[in-house]
Amino acid sequence: MDVYPRILSRIWGVPGSHTLAVAEQHGAYNAARKALAMSPAEVTDVVLKSGLRGRGGAGFPTGRKWTFVPPPEKRGGKPVYLLCNADESEPGTFKDRFCMWNDPHQLIEGMIIASHALGVRRAYIYLRGEFEYVQRRLDEALAEAYAKGYLGENIFGSGFSFDLYTHLGAGAYICGEETALISSIEGYKGQPRLKPPFPAVKGVWESPTIVNNVETLAAVPWIIENGWEAYKAIGTEQSPGTKLFSCSGHIMKPGVYEIPLGTPMMDLLNKWCGGLRPGRTLKAIIPGGSSVPVMTPAEVAQANMDYESINKVAGSYLGSGGFIVMDDTTDMVDALTNLLRFYAHESCGQCTPCREGSAWMYNILCRLRDGLATEDDLVALRDLADNIHSRTICFFGASAAMPVQSFVTKFRDEFVARVESARAGLPAGLAVAK
Amino acid sequence: MSHDQKSIHLRDMHGLTVQGPVEWTEEEKAEIAAIVAKYPTQRSAIMPVLWKAQRKWGWLQFEVLKLVAATLSLKPSEVMEVATFYTMFKKEPTGKYLIQACHTLSCALLGADRVIRHIETKLQLDEHGNSPDGKFTLMRVECLAACGSGPMMQINDDFYELLTEQKVDEILDAMAADRPLPVPRPEVDQWTYTPVS
């Protein structure tokens, strides 16, 4: 295995890594000092050239997103806001929790640098409600940074002043969608908004707003300190850098692993994740969080862990890097039913295709799981998924549709077998090889 | 989020009477002023103030929602729509220990259903998830972002991970006896920090 720098998980596992004293021993806030001596445009340029892409799921180039903020004369006197998306709620994803728990100062430093680049005076970290204990740790880290003068007025004597706050959600998956997050922090139901206007032009409190994921912002200090060339040298041409993968399911060593983008998927599975449980064979992998299309073993064997390869090989996405492994003991009908219960529960209810469709798909899958479905149900399931995809305000509709479309297509035999066993009057699941 | 459940919650909220005065202390008023100052609009403080109210009164009775609305110069309906949208705002009372057990895919693959059924049997929970003495309430919830250390559950504010039936027994027995528990550190799993050779 090649040697590569650990960027995000650099000090994870070091005792007291979450404290300012230990983080500073490992170079925390050096990058912020360096960035505050640069012009905002220079900082943005470095991030742009590094090729860093948004780690929340969409993979949009971060530097480019930053350039969408209108220049001061076109903001109508409005301030610019930076929101850190720490809602981490995509099933199979738990890397941001590790980032904030193990190295909160890396995120704070990233936000200082980003705010300097964007001209932000006030920024917020939006955490999912269940992360109250993570919020406590972040608040402690913020207090330490304020006490040292790394936050607040005139940071490092640069003239740049910046305040950073945490904001706690209260249990709504949809708030990880950037416009829903904006609605939520404004004190409304967390329902997504139509784009355009894009948040960079008109976001929170009607002001230009940049929403970046925790892992994205945490990568910024290293890039500033080591230069965009160093970052670009890791990973692939179009997917530079390292990424955190949250690995779960039927593997020997579940956990969060930082690896260079472009690493073969089989290497992640066998080398980092410790492979499958003894005596088991691979049935499927969901590579990027529950919303992305599932992959078959044949696809897994050909794909690399980067944005382009997964899409090219399997029509799937790298997403948030939630790597869910399923071995041959997995019943794919049960697995999909489980996922659709999630989507039916979490639809915000705003758009009819998603609100009604996700519940319908779940109902059909329950019938299928319980041995009560017919061939018509399989057709209806596919039809519903196809009609939800791309017909909603936000991407949630597609996120509920893609697992259905991919499971039913790629593991069709298991779904058909369920229908056939139902027709033959056999108990549910009997026709499915265990 | 089931819409039927929501309407039942709303009815209950109106039907239940409030015990004791529903008002902030002077100290709490000052804390709320500090929260409000963090945001450019007063409305943005709804969620932090609802959290504060829930911590104080245990759950969000209608009288409490009205107080939050008055505190932030909002209409009760504006606070109500936020309180009912988010699942973690409690619209009805729960036991002293609220157990939120994850049953989404990654945890399910590792036996979450077995663990949850064990909790139900052990605590003799009724159909609403409450134990006979009212001390425990169990909710099956969707993914809590601890997929690598499933099955997992959250009890009140803390995560308990890598659960087995035996581990559940230890945790719940301690809580049943109100014995102080060791502060649980999220068991960010044992493998992550091991260098790969």
Side-chain angles (χ1 to χ4, degrees):
Chain A
M1 220 169 287
D2 292 340
V3 176
Y4 61 92
R6 280 172 63 170
I7 294 171
L8 300 144
S9 58
R10 203 167 35 101
I11 65 168
W12 294 9
V14 174
S17 65
H18 62 285
T19 62
L20 183 57
V22 174
E24 283 204 292
Q25 282 166 19
H26 291 83
Y29 295 99
N30 287 343
R33 283 188 184 85
K34 185 176 174 185
L36 293 192
M38 296 159 68
S39 76
E42 283 168 348
V43 175
T44 303
D45 194 51
V46 171
V47 175
L48 192 65
K49 285 188 176 140
S50 75
L52 173 65
R53 296 170 66 168
R55 302 294 192 227
F60 192 80
T62 306
R64 242 178 88 207
K65 196 179 204 179
W66 289 5
T67 61
F68 294 160
V69 172
E73 64 275 14
K74 291 189 182 163
R75 289 178 205 154
K78 301 247 184 219
V80 183
Y81 291 103
L82 173 66
L83 304 179
C84 171
N85 187 344
D87 192 60
E88 184 154 72
S89 39
E90 176 77 5
T93 313
F94 46 103
K95 65 190 175 67
D96 294 340
R97 178 172 73 116
F98 276 48
C99 277
M100 295 184 285
W101 185 257
N102 290 311
D103 196 357
H105 288 286
Q106 191 179 40
L107 172 62
I108 295 169
E109 185 177 11
M111 291 190 75
I112 294 171
I113 297 167
S115 296
H116 171 57
L118 294 161
V120 167
R121 178 68 179 76
R122 271 180 165 191
Y124 300 82
I125 302 170
Y126 185 104
L127 297 126
R128 63 178 296 172
E130 293 85 352
F131 282 177
E132 200 266 347
Y133 70 90
V134 181
Q135 184 190 30
R136 271 181 270 157
R137 175 161 278 191
L138 272 175
D139 282 341
E140 285 166 19
L142 288 175
E144 282 184 306
Y146 267 107
K148 277 257 196 162
Y150 298 170
L151 290 169
E153 300 296 320
N154 192 20
I155 300 168
F156 305 129
S158 64
F160 175 66
S161 299
F162 170 61
D163 285 309
L164 181 53
Y165 308 101
T166 56
H167 182 97
L168 195 64
Y173 168 73
I174 194 61
C175 290
E177 198 278 343
E178 63 177 1
T179 59
L181 190 151
I182 286 169
S183 298
S184 181
I185 202 166
E186 286 180 351
Y188 294 91
K189 290 182 281 186
Q191 292 187 324
R193 299 172 181 178
L194 272 172
K195 297 191 253 192
F198 286 91
V201 177
K202 190 177 166 188
V204 72
W205 305 301
E206 310 233 314
S207 298
T209 304
I210 292 295
V211 184
N212 282 147
N213 173 256
V214 171
E215 187 187 344
T216 313
L217 290 164
V220 169
W222 192 93
I223 295 169
I224 294 296
E225 203 172 348
N226 297 277
W228 63 267
E229 297 92 340
Y231 194 77
K232 196 104 209 286
I234 309 163
T236 71
E237 176 61 28
Q238 285 178 288
S239 298
T242 61
K243 162 120 190 67
L244 297 172
F245 289 100
S246 315
C247 305
S248 68
H250 295 144
I251 46 177
M252 292 305 287
K253 295 171 157 191
V256 177
Y257 300 105
E258 177 173 9
I259 59 172
L261 287 164
T263 302
M265 196 176 282
M266 288 303 280
D267 281 0
L268 176 59
L269 176 62
N270 290 323
K271 294 180 183 166
W272 278 271
C273 299
L276 299 164
R277 300 180 293 181
R280 292 295 166 199
T281 54
L282 182 65
K283 182 177 269 188
I285 289 182
I286 301 176
S290 67
S291 302
V292 309
V294 67
M295 292 173 66
T296 63
E299 291 167 340
V300 168
Q302 296 171 50
N304 299 329
M305 297 306 290
D306 62 68
Y307 296 97
E308 289 69 39
S309 171
I310 289 177
N311 192 250
K312 192 169 153 231
V313 169
S316 190
Y317 303 96
L318 190 74
S320 60
F323 191 73
I324 308 173
V325 179
M326 293 174 267
D327 70 18
D328 58 338
T329 62
T330 312
D331 181 319
M332 297 307 273
V333 176
D334 284 0
L336 184 61
T337 309
N338 183 300
L339 287 181
L340 262 290
R341 185 194 60 226
F342 173 84
Y343 289 101
H345 181 267
E346 295 294 342
S347 172
C348 84
Q350 194 175 201
C351 311
T352 310
C354 170
R355 181 188 64 237
E356 303 299 322
S358 57
W360 276 28
M361 291 196 297
Y362 176 51
N363 285 345
I364 291 175
L365 283 163
C366 286
R367 278 212 297 282
L368 195 61
R369 180 195 62 196
D370 298 340
L372 300 168
T374 65
E375 281 88 348
D376 290 349
D377 282 318
L378 281 185
V379 176
L381 187 62
R382 186 59 210 246
D383 195 42
L384 276 164
D386 292 347
N387 279 292
I388 296 170
H389 199 299
S390 311
R391 286 178 168 83
T392 51
I393 290 175
C394 80
F395 207 66
F396 184 103
S399 302
M402 287 191 299
V404 172
Q405 291 164 329
S406 60
F407 270 70
V408 172
T409 310
K410 294 182 183 181
F411 295 91
R412 187 161 180 80
D413 290 354
E414 289 195 30
F415 288 79
V416 171
R418 263 319 205 330
V419 171
E420 282 171 358
S421 66
R423 193 172 48 204
L426 297 171
L430 202 69
V432 178
K434 282 280 180 188
Chain B
M1 206 175 321
S2 143
H3 294 270
D4 293 348
Q5 271 175 349
K6 262 193 211 166
S7 56
I8 292 167
H9 287 156
L10 290 172
R11 197 182 60 220
D12 286 350
M13 275 194 285
H14 290 292
L16 284 161
T17 51
V18 183
Q19 291 173 345
V22 177
E23 56 194 31
W24 304 112
T25 63
E26 289 307 313
E27 193 187 349
E28 286 161 350
K29 283 181 189 167
E31 287 163 7
I32 290 168
I35 292 171
V36 170
K38 285 161 57 174
Y39 306 96
T41 68
Q42 196 148 258
R43 180 159 184 147
S44 286
I46 287 187
M47 290 176 73
V49 175
L50 281 173
W51 274 118
K52 196 169 180 59
Q54 182 159 300
R55 288 194 184 285
K56 182 176 163 95
W57 285 288
W59 62 287
L60 299 170
Q61 311 155 68
F62 187 55
E63 292 304 315
V64 172
L65 293 178
K66 284 203 291 193
L67 174 71
V68 170
T71 307
L72 298 172
S73 313
L74 297 164
K75 298 184 195 79
S77 61
E78 291 173 317
V79 174
M80 181 96 90
E81 73 166 20
V82 171
T84 52
F85 183 83
Y86 297 94
T87 52
M88 291 183 79
F89 290 133
K90 297 184 207 167
K91 275 71 72 176
E92 55 191 12
T94 60
K96 178 178 177 183
Y97 298 106
L98 173 62
I99 306 167
Q100 301 188 72
C102 172
H103 63 165
T104 313
L105 186 60
S106 292
C107 282
L109 290 172
L110 298 171
D113 277 344
R114 199 182 61 239
V115 168
I116 294 172
R117 278 200 305 274
H118 177 72
I119 298 172
E120 286 169 342
T121 312
K122 181 182 173 64
L123 297 176
Q124 301 172 281
L125 302 178
D126 64 18
E127 67 271 32
H128 304 296
N130 294 312
S131 61
D133 59 2
K135 200 166 191 173
F136 292 94
T137 301
L138 172 73
M139 283 168 69
R140 287 172 179 248
V141 299
E142 301 297 347
C143 189
L144 297 182
C147 319
S149 40
M152 66 81 65
M153 62 182 172
Q154 179 174 8
I155 303 184
N156 296 343
D157 292 334
D158 296 306
F159 280 21
Y160 296 84
E161 301 164 41
L162 301 167
L163 296 178
T164 57
E165 277 102 328
Q166 189 195 355
K167 203 160 164 186
V168 165
D169 284 344
E170 286 165 17
I171 296 163
L172 296 184
D173 288 345
M175 286 180 179
D178 285 324
R179 280 203 312 267
L181 280 161
V183 176
R185 195 189 160 276
E187 290 175 50
V188 283
D189 96 270
Q190 63 271 46
W191 308 110
T192 293
Y193 310 125
T194 320
V196 175
S197 52

